[in-house]
Amino acid sequence: MTLAYIRNKLLICAAIESETREEMVKSMEKAKEEGADLVELCIDSMSLFHLSEIELLLKQRTLPAIVSFRLNSQKNSCKGDLKHRCLQVLKLAVDLDVEFVEIDFELAFDVIDELMQKRENSKIIVSSYVKSGVCCKEKLGNLLVCLQSTGADIIKVVTEVAYITDVSPVFHILTHSQVPVIVRAIGDRGLISQLLGPKYGAFMVYGSLGGKSIHGLPPIVSIKNVYELDNVDIDTKVFGVVSNPVGHSKGPLLHNPAFRYCGYNGIYVPLLVDNIKEFLRVYSCTDFAGFSIGLPHKESAVACCDEVDPLAKSIGAVNTIVRRPSDGKLVGYNTDCDACITAIEDALRERQVSNGDTPNVSPIAGRLFVLVGAGGAGRALAFGAKSKGARVVIFNRNFERAESLARAVSGEALPIEELDAFCPENGMILANCSAIGMEPDVHLTPVSKENLRSYDLVFDAVYTPRNTRLLQEAVEVGVTVVSGVEMFIRQALGQFRLFTNGLAPEDFMRKVVLEQF
Ligand SMILES: O=C1C[C@@](O)(C(=O)O)C[C@@H](O)[C@@H]1O
């Protein structure tokens, strides 16, 4: 594996920490099956130190490997002279011509010359681990210079990050390094260091095994099948879902294949954001082209936009932000409102439970619209229902928020305790826009099964799980339902059109949702 080779193809690496050689070998097999190009064998994680075992492990390797031995690893349980053991391992790796041998920066000047002289094909990596709080552009820039001065073939920086905005300096070192560089920001807030690394020139990214994100590493199967990071380059436009939590979002599963289907050079990533204003301030370059806005940022996003579409403004919630290419201004929209109102209208028309009016009149008109939740999605529905001529009643755990929304749509706010037995008339519409029933609390439901009979239609904005308890029970008592998945598809279609200036492969996106969800 030459340096020329590593620049031509993105390498996907699985870091393997295991106590025994047998476990390491097993994980290596798994990494191979899942499509990793190489593994990092973290020798410091092994519980017993037998050089012969390590030699056997290195000889048994079924994928190219990085051999590392961190001196200050917490996992490091072997006693004795760590430095001595570390050197033994690194020399052994060079003797066995292992592809990459990684030295901690603190040891680098002591050993690099000897390893460089001995090595045949091994590439020498010098790495540094940066503790939280130190990750700023200047400090990482200085570190980069120090690491480069060791004469390493490759340098590596692993850093703890407190916020997603701390990842920005990591991209800076990727673009400024004079030698190939590997970076990794640890934790869920560091995930984009791997997903966007290739845009900034990373030749290697780390991924996790088993299809689950671990310590903020994207699963290798997602790197290959969802994000297809091999195709990400300097021109790739960045989109993502700004949310907290964000792990539940199905947005990446939908938008990434849709970009590819349309031949659009874009990537859509989960963005675990604590402070949306700060996030937009730091990631302000034109390549960060658009965002889906999720919980709990939909309302605070309004003030972060340079311009807000009139509908979103009246709702007071933005679920889409697009950076206008002509002047870089952030423009906010709300695609939730149209998505759920049209989904409810279509379902009522389809089941012919219309309110007896002409086709031009919305089947929502005149009905009592019972809304649970007064957050961003709730606000979108309240305004949408009101604009279609419904009478809106709002239940929310925080009564003041319910009252404030009720005032805005000339509706009524009632205490959440009265929701279950609320039954002033038949033919009502129930819309759950709260998190009740969302994973992991799938056993919860806002209205008991028996009391669902007075509704003509039940809508649930929750889409994880797809078939919530509320929807299941509504079907059981013969009520028409609209699932959060339908709303999800429609709001995403609206976003995709805004992101791409008009593209909307609806049939394809529906197919993806049905296959993946
Ligand atoms: O409500 C949703 C869902 C979402 O938050 C997501 O989880 O992908 C993305 C938002 O833009 C949208 O309005």
Side-chain angles (χ1 to χ4, degrees):
M1 200 179 280
T2 66
L3 279 178
Y5 170 74
I6 65 179
R7 285 205 178 119
N8 287 338
K9 180 186 178 298
L10 179 73
L11 299 177
I12 302 172
C13 181
I16 297 180
E17 294 184 353
S18 293
E19 295 207 346
T20 65
R21 176 179 56 81
E22 289 79 5
E23 285 166 10
M24 287 236 176
V25 171
K26 230 189 254 167
S27 298
M28 203 159 13
E29 283 307 315
K30 195 145 186 261
K32 199 171 180 181
E33 265 168 44
E34 292 190 10
D37 299 296
L38 76 163
V39 288
E40 176 176 340
L41 300 172
C42 307
I43 304 296
D44 50 89
S45 63
M46 294 177 82
S47 55
L48 294 172
F49 188 87
H50 291 305
L51 211 54
S52 56
E53 275 286 287
I54 296 164
E55 180 169 352
L56 194 54
L57 170 70
L58 300 187
K59 285 181 173 162
Q60 276 182 321
R61 71 188 190 281
T62 47
L63 278 174
I66 300 174
V67 167
S68 68
F69 191 110
R70 259 187 66 198
L71 290 177
N72 53 1
S73 150
Q74 284 176 355
K75 291 250 161 67
N76 209 319
S77 51
C78 61
K79 306 228 169 5
D81 185 355
L82 275 182
K83 193 171 153 182
H84 176 68
R85 286 179 171 179
C86 172
L87 291 177
Q88 279 182 301
V89 170
L90 301 185
K91 283 179 192 162
L92 174 68
V94 165
D95 285 342
L96 294 175
D97 208 21
V98 172
E99 291 75 10
F100 300 95
V101 179
E102 180 174 328
I103 319 171
D104 265 13
F105 178 59
E106 58 186 273
L107 268 190
F109 288 108
D110 296 349
V111 293
I112 194 159
D113 289 343
E114 187 185 344
L115 294 183
M116 288 284 198
Q117 271 163 21
K118 274 176 122 193
R119 62 109 172 253
E120 237 172 278
N121 297 297
S122 302
K123 301 291 168 227
I124 306 296
I125 303 173
V126 172
S127 70
S128 182
Y129 187 98
V130 183
K131 289 246 189 266
S132 183
V134 193
C135 190
C136 74
K137 209 158 124 186
E138 290 69 32
K139 292 222 167 114
L140 284 192
N142 291 340
L143 179 61
L144 183 74
V145 173
C146 294
L147 290 170
Q148 285 178 174
S149 72
T150 61
D153 299 312
I154 298 166
I155 61 176
K156 174 172 161 185
V157 175
V158 180
T159 173
E160 294 176 359
V161 286
Y163 300 106
I164 194 167
T165 41
D166 297 337
V167 184
S168 169
V170 169
F171 297 141
H172 185 77
I173 55 174
L174 267 178
T175 44
H176 286 82
S177 176
Q178 280 154 23
V179 292
V181 56
I182 302 169
V183 293
R184 196 181 143 191
I186 306 267
D188 292 341
R189 286 165 177 77
L191 179 73
I192 59 168
S193 67
Q194 303 311 288
L195 294 181
L196 301 184
K199 176 176 169 64
Y200 297 98
F203 71 92
M204 183 189 293
V205 292
Y206 279 88
S208 57
L209 296 174
K212 285 223 168 87
S213 183
I214 302 168
H215 303 312
L217 290 181
I220 287 176
V221 286
S222 304
I223 291 176
K224 296 185 83 76
N225 303 327
V226 177
Y227 300 103
E228 293 197 7
L229 291 190
D230 233 348
N231 298 324
V232 169
D233 59 29
I234 192 166
D235 297 321
T236 303
K237 294 280 180 211
V238 178
F239 299 85
V241 48
V242 171
S243 192
N244 190 351
V246 74
H248 66 282
S249 174
K250 305 280 189 194
L253 294 177
L254 179 56
H255 287 280
N256 285 302
F259 282 140
R260 284 193 287 276
Y261 182 83
C262 297
Y264 186 96
N265 188 2
I267 183 169
Y268 183 100
V269 296
L271 299 161
L272 182 55
V273 170
D274 300 276
N275 180 333
I276 183 170
K277 193 166 176 212
E278 187 58 9
F279 170 81
L280 293 169
R281 189 189 67 76
V282 170
Y283 294 103
S284 61
C285 77
T286 50
D287 279 356
F288 280 76
F291 308 100
S292 305
I293 311 297
L295 284 169
H297 300 303
K298 291 185 183 191
E299 288 160 87
S300 47
V302 177
C304 300
C305 296
D306 299 304
E307 282 174 30
V308 180
D309 170 77
L311 174 69
K313 204 177 213 162
S314 60
I315 295 169
V318 152
N319 85 322
T320 311
I321 296 181
V322 177
R323 192 181 303 283
R324 194 161 50 204
S326 56
D327 57 7
K329 295 252 192 266
L330 296 176
V331 188
Y333 300 89
N334 191 304
T335 67
D336 283 336
C337 180
D338 203 44
C340 48
I341 293 297
T342 59
I344 291 172
E345 285 180 327
D346 287 354
L348 286 172
R349 287 198 179 105
E350 206 172 289
R351 298 288 176 94
Q352 294 183 320
V353 283
S354 82
N355 45 3
D357 285 314
T358 58
N360 291 341
V361 176
S362 166
I364 296 175
R367 290 181 191 265
L368 198 56
F369 198 95
V370 179
L371 184 65
V372 189
R379 292 188 69 85
L381 245 87
F383 277 85
K386 160 83 179 159
S387 76
K388 298 287 179 177
R391 293 164 289 136
V392 183
V393 178
I394 302 153
F395 293 88
N396 190 55
R397 215 173 324 166
N398 177 332
F399 189 64
E400 276 169 20
R401 277 174 77 100
E403 275 184 316
S404 136
L405 180 54
R407 266 196 302 279
V409 295
S410 313
E412 191 183 358
L414 290 174
I416 189 92
E417 297 73 30
E418 292 178 20
L419 168 63
D420 193 36
F422 185 71
C423 178
E425 60 190 62
N426 282 333
M428 301 185 293
I429 295 171
L430 174 66
N432 176 38
C433 288
S434 73
I436 298 172
M438 190 190 278
E439 283 169 357
D441 299 318
V442 294
H443 57 288
L444 298 181
T445 186
V447 176
S448 58
K449 184 172 167 181
E450 272 317 300
N451 291 337
L452 291 174
R453 292 182 199 277
S454 36
Y455 293 94
D456 261 1
L457 181 140
V458 169
F459 163 74
D460 199 343
V462 172
Y463 71 82
T464 49
R466 186 176 174 170
N467 203 5
T468 58
R469 178 172 162 197
L470 172 64
L471 294 183
Q472 278 172 40
E473 293 183 345
V475 169
E476 282 163 21
V477 296
V479 174
T480 298
V481 295
V482 172
S483 84
V485 174
E486 186 56 34
M487 174 181 168
F488 178 77
I489 295 174
R490 292 184 188 220
Q491 64 78 31
L493 271 164
Q495 289 183 335
F496 198 80
R497 273 186 211 110
L498 292 165
F499 290 161
T500 59
N501 202 11
L503 301 175
E506 177 163 356
D507 292 346
F508 176 78
M509 285 172 82
R510 283 191 174 277
K511 190 166 144 268
V512 170
V513 169
L514 295 177
E515 280 168 2
Q516 307 255 9
F517 282 58

